[in-house]
Amino acid sequence: MNKKLLKKMKEQREKRLEELKGKVTNGEIRAADLDAVNGEIDTIIEELQGIKDELGNDEDSSDEEDEEPAEEEEEKSSEVGDEARDDDNTDEDRGAVLNPEQRDAIMGSISKGLNVRAKSTKKQLENQIRSAFANFIVGNINETQARSLGIEVGNGSVTVPDFLSREVITYSQEENFLRRLGTAVSTDENVKYPVLVKMATAQGHKKERTGTDLIPETDVEFDEIELEPTEFDALATVTKKLLKRTGLPIEKIVMDELKKAYTRKETQYMVHGDEVGNINDGALAKKAVPFTPDPAETRLYDQLVSLKNTPLKPVRKKSRWVVNTAALSLIEKMKTDDGLPLLNPLAQAQDGCSYKLLGHLVEEEDEITVEGKEDVPVFYFGDFSTFYVQDVNGSLELEVLRELFTNTNRVGFKLYSLLDAQLIYSPFEPSIFKFEVTGA
């Protein structure tokens, strides 16, 4: 429906409410009219809400004017309102005048109708919060104004809105393979994962058990691994000159740079976990079980077959390869005993992978390469869903550092978050194995 027609319909219904308001004020509405008037007001309010919602949300409506249906609406609205009470009845037949409570109730309903506002869509609310967030971080609005627009602000820092926080995590999932392949847990408190450390033993017997032949008791023991969130932060600086250029999407520029810095730091923590002051004993490189090939197996092909068959079958069914560029270059040149390429290209990419090796998907990720050993082929094989990533709800914050970089005419933006990530498995069922090829 075009906007001009909608606006005309809105004016008609608001005009009718004003008419009813005048009649109530002048005492023309009697007790006998109460139900009909209330019904008409409720109908008008409902129609006004729909009209204003459509006016607020329909940005592509035609502006062509169509007056005739609007006039019909006006006549219909007026007729419906008057027919309810136009029975040629005198004031005496219609009963007593409204008491103060009835009068106030009707006036309140009319006032509600005249003040109906369009409901904001989720997208509109996000755009409003995104704009407020951007204006706050570049200094266009203060903390009080930001709070009034739905931004959580305090002590110079601002909680990143949920939808922006999801954008950061989504970017991290795309760039950080352990987020994408692992199991993500969002929580407000530490999570403990049970790990089997002693298995029960079943008993077999030919004869029926008697009172003296009881089932032996066997203990099942579990250890628990607790994920304890670690503080993560990323810092980016922007020149004041850039901030003054209002035509640029500053908040997008800042958030994009912070996302990249945050993801690099997060990935290092999850894969290697060896940064000074931020050690992660559950990192992939530390927790994956080292694979040592049989000395009798001198060919890499035989060693890879042994590596593939090392995990238990339940783990192997859900396993894939994660290799670095050096490893991929090595196996691309290898052939089976039949002279066929060992690395099988897929006709269509599957789960982000373009190859299969010995029947399992192959993913190339240079993040697993050890710093300073870029030429060393590294193979990981296993079920990567056993790598757990814990995000603390609402922990992603952005702090604006205006004074710290004043002397260089820059403004700093610090992204802060809490998370932990560990590879978790039972010693009876290791889930990921690591193989570094030496002398390749």
Side-chain angles (χ1 to χ4, degrees):
M1 193 177 292
N2 66 65
K3 285 191 175 182
K4 288 187 177 180
L5 178 56
L6 288 170
K7 289 178 180 178
K8 187 69 175 177
M9 292 169 64
K10 179 175 82 69
E11 291 172 3
Q12 292 164 2
R13 281 149 181 79
E14 289 176 345
K15 180 180 177 182
R16 181 57 182 165
L17 288 177
E18 291 288 359
E19 290 176 0
L20 291 173
K21 183 178 180 181
K23 289 185 177 184
V24 173
T25 303
N26 296 331
E28 298 177 28
I29 304 296
R30 299 303 180 98
D33 305 327
L34 195 58
D35 290 340
V37 172
N38 281 329
E40 183 182 358
I41 292 172
D42 290 343
T43 300
I44 293 175
I45 291 175
E46 185 176 345
E47 291 173 349
L48 274 173
Q49 183 68 69
I51 292 169
K52 292 194 175 183
D53 286 349
E54 195 163 347
L55 279 172
N57 303 332
D58 185 10
E59 298 179 355
D60 300 320
S61 296
S62 169
D63 286 336
E64 296 178 4
E65 190 169 1
D66 188 358
E67 297 290 351
E68 292 182 6
E71 291 172 1
E72 291 175 5
E73 285 286 339
E74 183 173 10
E75 292 173 5
K76 181 179 176 183
S77 176
S78 178
E79 288 172 4
V80 170
D82 293 335
E83 281 176 5
R85 294 172 298 282
D86 190 11
D87 294 323
D88 294 329
N89 292 335
T90 63
D91 288 347
E92 288 78 8
D93 295 333
R94 288 159 55 208
V97 297
L98 300 178
N99 62 43
E101 291 182 0
Q102 292 171 328
R103 183 177 178 278
D104 290 345
I106 289 184
M107 294 297 280
S109 297
I110 293 173
S111 178
K112 177 183 176 183
L114 292 172
N115 290 283
V116 165
R117 295 288 181 269
K119 295 177 181 176
S120 297
T121 64
K122 182 179 179 181
K123 184 176 180 180
Q124 288 172 326
L125 288 173
E126 284 190 1
N127 287 337
Q128 176 184 322
I129 295 175
R130 187 187 294 272
S131 175
F133 178 77
N135 282 322
F136 175 75
I137 65 174
V138 299
N140 292 337
I141 60 176
N142 58 32
E143 290 190 6
T144 303
Q145 292 170 318
R147 288 193 196 96
S148 69
L149 293 171
I151 303 296
E152 295 182 30
V153 185
N155 297 324
S157 64
V158 52
T159 300
V160 178
D162 286 342
F163 61 90
L164 278 177
S165 178
R166 287 193 296 272
E167 289 177 12
V168 175
I169 298 302
T170 300
Y171 176 83
S172 184
Q173 286 175 335
E174 293 172 355
E175 301 299 322
N176 180 357
F177 74 98
L178 286 176
R179 263 199 183 276
R180 178 163 42 83
L181 302 179
T183 301
V185 180
S186 296
T187 181
D188 294 319
E189 51 191 36
N190 293 350
V191 179
K192 297 181 180 180
Y193 295 89
V195 176
L196 182 67
V197 295
K198 185 176 181 180
M199 295 189 293
T201 303
Q203 306 291 327
H205 51 91
K206 295 280 188 180
K207 299 180 180 179
E208 293 184 3
R209 292 193 182 276
T210 63
T212 58
D213 184 19
L214 301 177
I215 301 175
E217 294 183 7
T218 59
D219 294 331
V220 178
E221 290 185 13
F222 289 89
D223 194 1
E224 61 183 20
I225 295 178
E226 182 175 6
L227 293 187
E228 299 179 355
T230 300
E231 294 185 3
F232 276 82
D233 42 47
L235 178 65
T237 59
V238 180
T239 62
K240 290 184 178 180
K241 180 180 178 180
L242 182 61
L243 293 179
K244 296 298 182 182
R245 298 176 66 180
T246 55
L248 296 175
I250 301 300
E251 91 287 352
K252 185 177 186 304
I253 295 172
V254 171
M255 289 304 295
D256 283 350
E257 289 306 311
L258 289 173
K259 281 189 289 189
K260 293 174 185 177
Y262 175 79
T263 300
R264 287 193 296 268
K265 183 69 67 175
E266 178 189 84
T267 304
Q268 202 283 337
Y269 176 78
M270 293 183 186
V271 176
H272 299 288
D274 55 1
E275 187 179 38
V276 177
N278 195 24
I279 301 297
N280 180 11
D281 292 328
L284 177 66
K286 294 182 177 181
K287 199 74 177 289
V289 179
F291 171 75
T292 304
D294 189 325
E297 296 177 341
T298 56
R299 295 194 311 163
L300 180 60
Y301 174 81
D302 296 332
Q303 295 171 348
L304 292 177
V305 171
S306 297
L307 171 58
K308 184 207 71 166
N309 292 325
T310 299
L312 297 178
K313 185 178 179 180
V315 175
R316 193 163 61 245
K317 289 192 298 184
K318 298 181 286 184
S319 294
R320 70 169 61 199
W321 300 90
V322 174
V323 303
N324 63 355
T325 299
L328 184 63
S329 299
L330 187 61
I331 56 179
E332 280 180 326
K333 303 171 185 175
M334 294 176 60
K335 291 181 171 53
T336 64
D337 293 336
D338 299 329
L340 299 174
L342 182 61
L343 194 63
N344 297 322
L346 299 175
Q348 185 175 358
Q350 181 180 342
D351 197 16
C353 300
S354 301
Y355 301 96
K356 272 192 174 183
L357 173 62
L358 301 176
H360 295 270
L361 293 174
V362 179
E363 184 152 341
E364 180 188 3
E365 300 290 347
D366 272 333
E367 287 81 1
I368 65 175
T369 301
V370 180
E371 187 175 358
K373 297 182 178 180
E374 288 75 14
D375 295 332
V376 176
V378 181
F379 293 83
Y380 282 92
F381 182 74
D383 176 12
F384 287 84
S385 67
T386 57
F387 192 91
Y388 288 85
V389 180
Q390 177 182 321
D391 293 298
V392 177
N393 294 328
S395 67
L396 199 62
E397 291 184 355
L398 183 68
E399 186 174 356
V400 183
L401 307 172
R402 302 190 187 281
E403 297 179 0
L404 188 60
F405 301 95
T406 301
N407 292 338
T408 56
N409 289 324
R410 302 175 75 85
V411 176
F413 299 93
K414 185 177 76 172
L415 189 68
Y416 172 89
S417 184
L418 291 171
L419 71 87
D420 194 10
Q422 292 190 40
L423 178 60
I424 299 175
Y425 57 80
S426 165
F428 297 111
E429 195 175 79
S431 57
I432 298 180
F433 291 82
K434 173 185 177 182
F435 178 35
E436 289 187 13
V437 181
T438 57

